[in-house]
């Protein structure tokens, strides 16, 4: 059984909780009633607010629409006024700009161009909106007048400020690569900076707004004349100031040379003058003497005037390239890109044509000279051709983009020179072989023939242009004989051919002499001259490429001729040789026949000695070393033979007048032989 007290306590606890729950429920009911009341009040307020908003909207919307319409009307009015002002301004353009257009753009180019822009816009407006308006004709006329003024200003600026480049500046420009390596690349100022700016602005406006290309014609005509005058001025400068000692470079270049003595001077293009100097050298060294005439015209006849012309032409070629490069740089700033190549092509035509024509004239002159067998004339082509080939890459670069006809002019000239040069070389070799043997043309003293000296000088001159000469011969592929020159032995082959032909011709010429001894002296002198000339230059190395024994062969030929000459003394020494002379016993009286024989031997020797000495004294051996060698050898032979003869018969009583037969002592004979080959003795 549960105690009564615990039950009572449990009941009281339950009753207390029930009472609390009832109080909570009562609070919730009160809260819900208040919430409902507040909701009703909020709904009432919102309904009232909505009603008021609707009333406000109904009042504001009409006002807003009216205001918007008013704003639109205002904007339309403003736009209309602006358009009217803009349109009205076009009607004032002619009046506002006419004075400036009439006065021209000189001195106020930017203001003038602004006026032209206004006039152009007016023209466009009237053409689009009122093509029948008289104002259109007025602004059109004004625009055309303004455009003509701009063209006139362009021409005026170009004419007034385009001047030929002074020769001194051109020489500095073309020699700058060699002489001024430490300096920046030189550039020419063709137009003052302000003028260049104006010219560029005018050309730009004419292309963009004037739709005009006539100014490009004006440009290339003016610049073409300037380019041609610059090159001609350089040529005239050469003619007036060049000398045989060098090219007239500018003071800047000359001063630089003095400041840098270790710097190699500019090499002048190879000219004929070197051949003349070589000729003088050989005369001074005793390798040359009096020359017989030949149908090869001697090279000494050239004068410095023609030499200067060649130098001038070569420098004009370089000047053309440098000036054309400079012209193209200027042109790219002034002429629109898509017109630059064509305009440049037209600009350089006159100068290029003159240059090519002058080159053709040189080729033509060389051809005429070759017809006259003046093969030294081809030497004028070598330096030019060499220079043209060196300059061809720069030529090609400068002429890039020009017409095919323009690009082909220089290659055409080069081909013409190669053809002419190759023909001259071939004909020279043939003419060496076929030079006629004319008695009156032969040197009477047996010295070096002019054919020999000219041939050797010609070959020596080719040394400076051996690559050019080889290319000349190799370029003539149609010639069967020229095809061999394309090999590495070409130069040697040609030189050996010339020397071989020369040797054959000399051998033929030597037969003109009636005296075999003089013929031998003639061949000796010529062979010796050839050998010494080969040894003094690079020719001997070139010859050795195909003929390794050439030097030895010439020495053998020289020795053979010496031996042939020495045989001329046999008719003297044969008289006094021991054979066929009477043998006698000392103290035994000579018979009349024996005395007569001894007299004849003395007389034959004396007469032969006197005759040979008289004749051979007039002969010449220009090479002192060879002359002394031949004299010495002959003295030894004759003196020994005569000495033995004199020693045996000098004291024999073969005559009552010994002085009549014993005319010379041994030393006197030596002295007489010592005077051989000496016309001054």
């Amino acid at each position: 059984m549960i105690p009564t007290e615990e039950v009572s306590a449990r009941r009281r606890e339950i009753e207390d909780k029930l009472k609390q729950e009832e109080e909570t429920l009562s609070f919730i009911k009160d809260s819900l009633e208040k919430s409902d009341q507040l909701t009703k009040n909020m709904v009432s307020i919102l309904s009232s607010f909505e009603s008021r908003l609707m009333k406000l909207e109904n009042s504001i919307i009409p006002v807003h629409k009216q205001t918007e319409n008013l704003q639109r009307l205002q904007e339309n009015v403003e736009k209309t006024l602006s358009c009217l002002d803009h349109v009205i301004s076009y009607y004032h353009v002619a009046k506002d700009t006419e004075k400036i257009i009439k006065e021209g753009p000189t001195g106020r180019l930017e203001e003038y161009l602004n006026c032209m822009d206004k006039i152009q816009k007016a023209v466009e407006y009237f053409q689009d909106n009122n093509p029948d308006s008289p104002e259109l004709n007025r602004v059109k006329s004004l625009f055309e007048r303004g455009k003509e003024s701009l063209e006139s200003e362009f021409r005026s600026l170009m004419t007034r400020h385009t001047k030929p480049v002074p020769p001194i500046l051109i020489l500095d420009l073309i020699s700058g690569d060699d002489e001024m390596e430490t300096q920046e690349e030189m550039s020419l100022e063709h137009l003052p900076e302000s003028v260049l700016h104006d010219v560029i602005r005018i050309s730009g406006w004419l292309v963009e707004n004037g739709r005009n290309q006539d100014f490009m014609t004006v440009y290339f005509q003016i610049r073409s004349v300037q380019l041609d005058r610059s090159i001609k001025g350089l040529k005239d400068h050469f003619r007036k100031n060049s000398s045989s000692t060098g090219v007239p470079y500018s003071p800047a270049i000359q001063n630089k040379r003095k400041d840098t003595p270790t710097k190699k001077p500019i090499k002048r293009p190879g000219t004929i003058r070197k051949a003349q100097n070589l000729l003088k050298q050989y005369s001074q060294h005793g390798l040359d003497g009096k020359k017989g005439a030949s149908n090869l015209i001697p090279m000494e006849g050239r004068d410095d005037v023609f030499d200067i012309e060649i130098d001038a032409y070569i420098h004009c070629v370089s000047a053309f390239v440098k000036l054309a490069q400079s012209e193209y740089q200027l042109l790219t700033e002034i002429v629109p890109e898509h017109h630059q190549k064509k305009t440049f092509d037209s600009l350089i035509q006159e100068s290029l044509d003159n240059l090519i024509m002058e080159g053709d004239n040189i080729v033509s002159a060389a051809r005429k000279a070759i017809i006259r067998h003046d093969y030294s004339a081809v030497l004028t082509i070598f330096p030019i051709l060499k220079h043209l080939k060196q300059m061809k890459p720069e030529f090609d670069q400068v002429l890039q983009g020009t017409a095919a006809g323009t690009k082909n002019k220089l290659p055409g000239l080069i081909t013409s020179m190669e053809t002419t040069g190759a023909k001259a070389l071939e004909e020279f070799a043939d003419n060496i072989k076929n030079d006629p043997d004319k008695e009156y043309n032969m040197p009477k003293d047996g010295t070096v023939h002019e054919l020999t000296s000219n041939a050797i000088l010609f070959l020596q001159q080719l040394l400076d242009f051996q690559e050019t000469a080889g290319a000349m011969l190799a370029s003539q592929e149609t010639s069967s004989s020229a095809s061999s020159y394309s090999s590495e032995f070409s130069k040697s082959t040609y030189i050996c051919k010339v020397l071989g032909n020369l040797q054959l011709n000399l051998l033929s010429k030597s037969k003109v002499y009636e005296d075999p001894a003089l013929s031998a002296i003639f061949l000796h002198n010529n062979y010796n001259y050839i050998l010494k000339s080969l040894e003094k230059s690079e020719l001997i190395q070139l010859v050795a490429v195909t003929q390794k024994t050439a030097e030895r062969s010439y020495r053998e030929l020289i020795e053979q001729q010496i031996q042939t000459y020495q045989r001329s003394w046999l008719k003297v020494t044969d008289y006094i040789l021991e054979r066929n002379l009477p043998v006698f016993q000392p103290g035994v009286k000579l018979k009349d026949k024996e005395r007569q024989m001894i007299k004849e031997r003395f007389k034959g020797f004396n007469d032969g000695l006197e005759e040979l000495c008289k004749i051979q004294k007039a002969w010449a051996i220009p090479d002192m070393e060879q002359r002394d060698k031949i004299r010495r050898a002959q003295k030894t032979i004759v003196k020994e033979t005569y000495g033995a003869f004199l020693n045996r018969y000098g004291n024999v009583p073969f005559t009552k007048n010994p002085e009549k037969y014993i005319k010379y002592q041994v030393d006197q004979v030596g002295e007489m032989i010592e005077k051989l080959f000496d016309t001054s003795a």
Side-chain angles (χ1 to χ4, degrees):
M1 295 269 315
I2 299 172
T4 305
E5 292 178 0
E6 288 181 7
V7 171
S8 297
R10 182 72 174 167
R11 182 182 296 156
R12 282 194 299 276
E13 184 179 351
I14 291 169
E15 289 176 352
D16 290 339
K17 286 183 179 180
L18 181 60
K19 186 177 180 180
Q20 288 177 355
E21 292 294 334
E22 289 176 349
E23 289 177 356
T24 301
L25 180 60
S26 177
F27 176 76
I28 290 171
K29 287 181 178 179
D30 290 341
S31 296
L32 287 172
E33 289 176 358
K34 287 180 181 180
S35 178
D36 289 342
Q37 185 62 40
L38 288 172
T39 300
K40 291 178 181 179
N41 291 340
M42 180 59 70
V43 170
S44 176
I45 291 170
L46 289 173
S47 297
S48 175
F49 185 68
E50 182 181 5
S51 175
R52 289 181 180 182
L53 279 177
M54 289 179 66
K55 290 180 181 179
L56 181 61
E57 184 179 353
N58 292 335
S59 300
I60 291 300
I61 286 176
V63 173
H64 174 71
K65 288 182 178 180
Q66 186 177 7
T67 302
E68 188 178 6
N69 290 336
L70 288 173
Q71 287 177 341
R72 189 178 294 111
L73 288 171
Q74 183 179 1
E75 289 175 1
N76 289 338
V77 169
E78 289 176 353
K79 287 181 180 179
T80 301
L81 290 174
S82 177
C83 287
L84 286 172
D85 289 341
H86 183 66
V87 169
I88 291 171
S89 69
Y90 288 130
Y91 285 87
H92 292 288
V93 166
K95 180 180 178 182
D96 294 341
T97 60
E98 187 172 14
K99 181 180 179 182
I100 295 176
I101 297 302
K102 284 183 178 180
E103 292 177 353
T106 305
R108 50 178 177 183
L109 180 61
E110 292 301 325
E111 181 184 4
Y112 193 89
L113 292 178
N114 289 334
C115 289
M116 289 297 293
D117 290 339
K118 292 179 182 179
I119 296 172
Q120 185 178 22
K121 290 177 181 177
V123 171
E124 292 172 354
Y125 170 78
F126 288 120
Q127 284 177 337
D128 294 339
N129 298 281
N130 194 2
D132 297 329
S133 170
E135 286 296 327
L136 176 59
N137 293 331
R138 186 177 180 188
V139 291
K140 264 189 174 180
S141 175
L142 201 59
F143 183 78
E144 291 300 323
R145 185 191 301 176
K147 191 165 66 171
E148 290 174 1
S149 294
L150 283 173
E151 293 171 4
S152 178
E153 179 70 5
F154 183 89
R155 180 186 292 274
S156 177
L157 287 173
M158 291 299 301
T159 303
R160 282 189 285 115
H161 296 282
T162 294
K163 298 178 181 178
V165 181
I168 295 300
L169 288 183
I170 298 177
L171 288 170
D172 286 350
L173 188 67
I174 63 180
S175 61
D177 295 339
D178 297 326
E179 293 294 325
M180 296 186 172
E181 295 174 351
T182 59
Q183 297 188 9
E184 296 181 359
E185 186 176 353
M186 292 183 61
S187 60
L188 298 175
E189 184 184 78
H190 293 287
L191 298 173
E193 188 175 350
S194 60
V195 174
L196 179 60
H197 175 268
D198 288 351
V199 168
I200 293 172
R201 288 285 288 123
I202 294 173
S203 68
W205 190 94
L206 288 173
V207 172
E208 294 176 12
N209 303 286
R211 309 290 188 271
N212 188 302
Q213 299 179 8
D214 293 343
F215 77 93
M216 298 180 200
T217 302
V218 172
Y219 177 84
F220 84 68
Q221 288 175 343
I222 293 174
R223 297 303 302 177
S224 176
V225 172
Q226 180 269 349
L227 177 61
D228 191 53
R229 290 173 62 191
S230 297
I231 295 175
K232 287 180 178 176
L234 177 64
K235 188 186 301 181
D236 292 340
H237 182 73
F238 264 86
R239 290 171 178 169
K240 294 177 182 177
N241 299 286
S242 282
S243 65
S244 60
T245 57
V247 178
Y249 292 101
S250 72
I253 298 295
Q254 293 171 347
N255 291 339
K256 183 166 183 63
R257 285 181 179 146
K258 294 177 182 177
D259 296 338
T260 56
T262 58
K263 178 82 173 176
K264 290 183 179 180
I266 291 179
K267 286 187 177 180
R268 296 190 62 196
T271 59
I272 303 165
R273 186 179 297 116
K274 183 179 179 182
Q276 298 170 351
N277 292 338
L278 286 171
L279 184 62
K280 293 177 182 177
Q281 290 177 10
Y282 291 124
S283 294
Q284 293 169 357
H285 288 87
L287 286 178
D288 198 4
K290 298 178 182 178
K291 297 178 177 59
S294 166
N295 72 338
L296 283 175
I297 297 176
M299 287 176 276
E300 307 98 296
R302 302 286 180 181
D303 57 24
D304 289 343
V305 174
F306 193 68
D307 202 4
I308 291 169
E309 290 293 328
I310 299 302
D311 279 347
Y313 181 75
I314 288 174
H315 282 79
C316 285
V317 170
S318 297
F320 172 81
V321 172
K322 294 295 184 181
L323 292 176
Q325 289 173 342
S326 184
E327 285 293 338
Y328 188 74
Q329 291 173 358
L330 177 66
L331 180 141
T332 55
E333 298 185 68
I334 298 173
V335 177
E337 184 175 359
H338 54 286
H339 292 288
Q340 289 173 1
K341 296 295 184 183
K342 183 178 179 181
T343 304
F344 179 70
D345 197 340
S346 300
L347 189 155
I348 62 172
Q349 280 303 313
E350 183 175 359
S351 296
L352 181 59
D353 286 344
N354 288 339
L355 211 59
I356 298 300
M357 181 177 67
E358 190 170 348
D360 288 337
N361 290 339
I362 292 172
V363 173
S364 178
R367 286 174 182 161
K368 292 178 181 177
I370 292 167
I371 292 173
R372 301 191 307 268
H373 301 294
D374 180 8
Y375 298 106
S376 63
V378 76
L379 297 177
T380 63
I381 293 180
F382 279 100
I384 296 175
L385 180 58
K386 181 179 180 181
H387 188 68
L388 288 178
K389 285 190 169 184
Q390 290 173 343
M391 296 298 295
K392 189 176 182 299
E394 290 189 61
F395 253 97
D396 293 341
Q397 185 177 5
V398 169
L399 301 181
Q400 187 178 6
T402 57
T406 303
K407 293 178 182 176
N408 293 333
K409 288 180 179 179
L410 179 67
L413 178 59
I414 289 175
T415 300
S416 177
M417 286 190 171
E418 285 184 333
T419 303
T420 302
K423 182 180 179 182
L425 291 176
E426 289 291 347
E427 288 192 9
F428 174 78
D430 292 340
N431 199 77
I432 290 292
K433 182 177 181 180
N434 301 320
D435 187 62
D437 307 323
K438 296 180 180 178
E439 184 174 355
Y440 61 86
N441 282 340
M442 296 295 290
K444 295 180 180 180
D445 55 2
T447 189
V448 179
H449 197 281
E450 190 173 36
L451 176 70
T452 304
S453 60
N454 281 348
I456 294 299
L457 288 174
F458 188 87
L459 292 177
Q460 287 170 331
Q461 184 67 1
L462 289 185
L463 284 176
D464 285 344
F465 308 101
Q466 45 185 295
E467 297 302 326
T468 305
M472 273 184 179
L473 295 165
S475 68
Q476 308 305 303
E477 297 178 358
T478 56
S479 171
S480 58
S481 61
S483 60
S484 62
Y485 297 125
S486 59
S487 70
E488 60 179 320
F489 300 106
S490 60
K491 290 166 281 188
S492 177
T493 302
Y494 178 76
I495 293 172
C496 290
K497 178 181 178 181
V498 172
L499 292 176
N501 289 348
L502 178 61
Q503 184 174 335
L504 290 173
N505 196 301
L506 289 173
L507 191 59
S508 176
K509 288 184 184 299
S510 68
K511 296 176 181 178
V512 172
Y513 295 109
E514 295 180 358
D515 190 335
L518 181 56
S519 177
I521 291 297
F522 171 77
L523 290 175
H524 164 274
N525 285 332
N526 283 272
Y527 292 155
N528 183 63
Y529 178 88
I530 294 171
L531 178 60
K532 290 294 179 70
S533 299
L534 294 178
E535 290 176 338
K536 282 181 175 289
S537 64
E538 298 175 13
L539 287 172
I540 193 66
Q541 287 87 354
L542 285 174
V543 171
V545 172
T546 52
Q547 292 188 8
K548 300 185 183 300
T549 62
E551 185 175 357
R552 187 179 68 189
S553 298
Y554 273 111
R555 294 194 186 282
E556 290 175 355
L557 288 172
I558 292 169
E559 190 60 36
Q560 287 175 9
Q561 301 310 315
I562 292 176
Q563 292 175 7
T564 300
Y565 162 75
Q566 288 176 342
R567 284 198 288 271
S568 69
W569 282 84
L570 290 178
K571 65 181 182 181
V572 176
T573 56
D574 276 353
Y575 281 105
I576 56 176
L577 288 176
E578 191 170 344
R579 68 175 182 270
N580 300 325
L581 286 175
V583 179
F584 59 90
Q585 297 296 327
V588 178
K589 185 177 180 182
L590 293 174
K591 299 177 181 179
D592 292 342
K593 183 178 179 181
E594 292 174 338
R595 286 198 298 272
Q596 185 61 32
M597 183 179 293
I598 294 174
K599 291 179 182 178
E600 289 176 354
R601 299 299 182 184
F602 269 107
K603 185 176 186 304
F605 172 80
N606 293 336
D607 292 345
L609 175 68
E610 291 170 355
E611 181 185 0
L612 282 187
C613 287
K614 180 180 179 181
I615 293 173
Q616 295 185 6
K617 185 175 73 171
W619 296 355
I621 300 179
D623 188 329
M624 184 180 298
E625 181 182 347
Q626 286 291 313
R627 184 168 64 240
D628 291 344
K629 174 184 174 182
I630 292 173
R631 283 172 174 171
R632 190 164 51 249
Q634 203 58 52
K635 273 198 305 183
T636 301
I637 295 171
V638 176
K639 284 177 67 177
E640 287 181 356
T641 306
Y642 182 65
F645 177 77
L646 191 63
N647 185 55
R648 183 165 185 174
Y649 296 101
N651 296 320
V652 174
F654 66 92
T655 179
K656 295 180 179 179
N657 301 310
E659 65 277 1
K660 178 180 177 181
Y661 298 97
I662 307 176
K663 296 174 65 174
Y664 305 106
Q665 296 301 315
V666 174
D667 290 340
Q668 288 179 305
V669 171
E671 291 174 0
M672 292 174 69
I673 295 175
E674 189 66 32
K675 295 178 181 180
L676 297 179
F677 318 116
D678 187 358
T679 55
S680 63

